[in-house]
Amino acid sequence: MSSSTAWQLLSLALPALVGANMNAGLTYTISNPAPGHQSVSPPFVGEYFEVDSPTLRMQYSQVYWQTLPPAELPADIVSRFANKTMAVTGFEVDLLRQNNLTGQEESVPAYQSYNHHYSPNLVSAAVQLKLDANGQATGVDRGHGKILEFELRNKSDPPPPNARLNQAFVHGNGQEHRQMYHGAPTGYVQPIYSPSHFVLTPMQVATNDGTNATGPSGPLPKFSRETVPPNTLYSPLLECPCTDRVPRKLGHASSRIEGRCAIALLQSDCFAAAAASVGYQSIASNSTCLLYTSPSPRDS
């Protein structure tokens, strides 16, 4: 009842020429257009290039949520902006797969692969993604994915002091990612110094059970079977239903990002409560920061 499909995320990290969109035939809209511009598709400004992420291979009901290996930018872009700053004014995104019958790339229908959110980054040649012993990206996880960490390359020439070495384009568009206009207002850009790589962290849910159905099909969790509305046109898997395979023991613990706890707790009690609240079976590491004054959100 499951099918294995190779998917590829394709993103334009630089703006498209006016009238030359990657997603041909798509009309971009914004929610608060100026009066008289309700039916106008906002244009992109400048040149553009295309870059593919590494391929995702998923089966029905699987969720992929981790940082993919860095993908190299086109060689002409890397050489053109070596030791220079590139100004990004917009981008487009698409989800592609290879059709096994035709051998051609095609856009994946939205009802067959659900994008919950995605975090694209343009990275400078002066730095590299910091990895742990297992080859996974490191970074603080504040409950909705890691804040990626980067480190200077050993053989890299020191970049200018104020150079932007990583430019993040965090987007929680979800399944609207294709038709959302990602363009900066006139006069604004997102700079990146000496760009060389594209790093993507997608949260993707495979909803195609091999039948190409547009609604519920294939095995579903109990919660989804009991709560899915009648005659729905989407797979309930896109609602990220909870699983009963990970035990969670909910208690009276709560998290804080500022202020002080009402009562003094042992360090071990805090670690145990954090692990139990999210159902983790094993913890890679714990760390403690001792502060005698209440930290501000910026310092925490």
Side-chain angles (χ1 to χ4, degrees):
M1 295 295 292
S2 63
S3 62
S4 180
T5 307
W7 289 330
Q8 197 170 51
L9 291 175
L10 177 64
S11 174
L12 279 186
L14 247 149
L17 291 170
V18 175
N21 292 354
M22 177 181 69
N23 297 323
L26 202 68
T27 300
Y28 289 102
T29 59
I30 58 176
S31 60
N32 57 341
H37 294 266
Q38 288 82 351
S39 60
V40 177
S41 181
F44 290 96
V45 178
E47 305 171 56
Y48 75 95
F49 66 85
E50 298 180 5
V51 59
D52 291 349
S53 77
T55 300
L56 301 182
R57 298 185 183 276
M58 304 175 65
Q59 291 183 323
Y60 171 73
S61 81
Q62 286 184 331
V63 178
Y64 188 97
W65 188 14
Q66 61 184 10
T67 301
L68 291 163
E72 293 183 357
L73 298 184
D76 60 323
I77 294 297
V78 175
S79 61
R80 176 180 173 185
F81 291 100
N83 301 317
K84 301 175 183 177
T85 295
M86 181 177 73
V88 181
T89 61
F91 70 95
E92 296 179 87
V93 64
D94 198 3
L95 182 65
L96 301 176
R97 67 183 175 194
Q98 183 175 351
N99 188 310
N100 293 330
L101 297 178
T102 65
Q104 301 296 316
E105 281 190 343
E106 63 183 12
S107 294
V108 181
Y111 56 82
Q112 292 185 2
S113 179
Y114 177 72
N115 177 256
H116 186 276
H117 66 273
Y118 60 101
S119 301
N121 294 258
L122 285 181
V123 184
S124 170
V127 297
Q128 61 188 2
L129 190 63
K130 194 173 181 180
L131 304 176
D132 60 20
N134 298 317
Q136 299 297 316
T138 64
V140 177
D141 190 338
R142 301 194 182 280
H144 206 70
K146 296 178 180 178
I147 300 175
L148 299 182
E149 297 177 322
F150 297 87
E151 56 188 0
L152 290 174
R153 294 182 182 272
N154 294 332
K155 297 181 181 180
S156 173
D157 294 330
N162 298 322
R164 172 67 70 175
L165 304 181
N166 172 52
Q167 186 61 262
F169 305 84
V170 180
H171 285 272
N173 300 145
Q175 201 64 319
E176 301 84 12
H177 60 91
R178 282 193 182 101
Q179 202 165 353
M180 291 291 291
Y181 176 69
H182 303 106
T186 301
Y188 290 84
V189 300
Q190 290 184 265
I192 177 69
Y193 175 78
S194 196
S196 67
H197 286 81
F198 169 64
V199 176
L200 181 67
T201 305
M203 182 178 181
Q204 202 72 26
V205 184
T207 56
N208 180 16
D209 68 346
T211 65
N212 295 324
T214 58
S217 63
L220 292 172
K222 179 181 178 182
F223 176 83
S224 297
R225 296 196 305 270
E226 294 177 348
T227 60
V228 60
N231 302 319
T232 186
L233 297 178
Y234 63 87
S235 169
L237 292 178
L238 62 81
E239 296 174 333
C240 303
C242 293
T243 177
D244 57 5
R245 296 186 180 184
V246 179
R248 289 178 171 81
K249 297 180 180 180
L250 302 180
H252 298 289
S254 61
S255 61
R256 303 182 68 92
I257 60 173
E258 60 182 350
R260 299 174 180 272
C261 295
I263 58 175
L265 296 173
L266 294 175
Q267 187 181 83
S268 58
D269 292 335
C270 290
F271 291 155
S277 66
V278 294
Y280 287 167
Q281 301 300 305
S282 62
I283 302 297
S285 64
N286 289 308
S287 61
T288 300
C289 178
L290 298 178
L291 295 175
Y292 294 98
T293 59
S294 177
S296 67
R298 181 177 179 180
D299 298 329
S300 59

